[in-house]
């Protein structure tokens, strides 16, 4: 369901995915501890911010997995692409080289599938990345520019 996937890209529970048992505590966070039915199926509101939390996780492995999942789901769900590209562009500023490189590879996949076009601002960020001392990063950025 694209609405659930879009919900995973936002920390805010939207009216279209909010469920009766999920409660907002006023801070924008949603208590989903009681948001499953008697069969253990989670309400759609449980997806709120799943990717955001994964991309912000302290562990590099979690951020890498979140980037991969975001890319693969975007390839299958065009409604996600615009928001996913925003997150992937942000991940190009991660402190860890592997995370930045994975974000560039994911953006390249989306560009190769003709699902996204880089804006002028995005191209500026990519061009700034060409100053990276790591040759692998520069090569990945050139590949991205070639696809875009």
């Amino acid at each position: 369901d694209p609405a659930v996937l879009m919900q995973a890209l936002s920390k805010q529970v939207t009216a279209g995915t909010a469920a009766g048992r999920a409660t907002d505590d006023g801070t924008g966070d949603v208590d989903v501890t009681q948001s499953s039915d008697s069969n253990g199926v989670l309400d759609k509101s449980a997806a709120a911010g799943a990717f955001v939390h994964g991309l912000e996780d302290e562990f590099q492995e979690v951020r890498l997995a979140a980037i991969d999942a975001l890319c693969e789901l975007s390839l299958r769900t065009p409604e996600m692409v615009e928001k996913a590209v925003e997150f992937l562009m942000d991940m190009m500023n991660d402190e860890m080289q592997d995370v930045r490189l994975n974000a560039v590879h994911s953006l390249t996949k989306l560009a190769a599938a003709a699902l996204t076009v880089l804006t002028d601002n995005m191209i500026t960020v990519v061009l700034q990345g060409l100053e990276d001392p790591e040759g692998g990063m520069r090569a990945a950025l050139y590949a991205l520019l070639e696809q875009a």
Side-chain angles (χ1 to χ4, degrees):
D1 181 4
V4 174
L5 293 174
M6 293 303 293
Q7 181 66 61
L9 293 170
S10 172
K11 288 184 179 181
Q12 298 295 322
V13 176
T14 61
T17 58
R21 288 189 297 270
T23 57
D24 185 343
D25 65 3
T27 64
D29 293 333
V30 176
D31 178 9
V32 293
T33 56
Q34 300 297 321
S35 65
S36 60
D37 63 18
S38 60
N39 296 325
V41 177
L42 290 176
D43 291 332
K44 292 178 182 180
S45 63
F51 281 116
V52 177
H53 291 293
L55 294 170
E56 294 175 351
D57 197 90
E58 66 180 297
F59 295 104
Q60 171 181 324
E61 294 81 7
V62 175
R63 296 192 309 275
L64 290 169
I67 289 170
D68 290 340
L70 185 58
C71 177
E72 292 304 315
L73 287 170
S74 294
L75 288 169
R76 292 168 176 76
T77 312
E79 299 91 345
M80 287 183 67
V81 173
E82 184 178 340
K83 192 72 171 167
V85 167
E86 290 177 26
F87 282 111
L88 292 171
M89 290 299 297
D90 285 344
M91 295 309 292
M92 287 177 54
N93 295 317
D94 194 271
E95 63 193 36
M96 301 301 294
Q97 175 77 20
D98 289 344
V99 174
R100 293 192 307 270
L101 193 57
N102 196 22
V104 172
H105 288 305
S106 292
L107 285 165
T108 304
K109 285 181 187 178
L110 294 175
L115 292 173
T116 190
V117 175
L118 297 182
T119 66
D120 289 343
N121 289 339
M122 292 175 187
I123 291 174
T124 299
V125 171
V126 171
L127 292 175
Q128 289 171 346
L130 292 175
E131 298 174 8
D132 193 293
E134 175 61 40
M137 176 60 90
R138 290 192 310 271
L141 290 168
Y142 280 122
L144 172 58
L145 288 172
E146 183 179 308
Q147 292 299 321

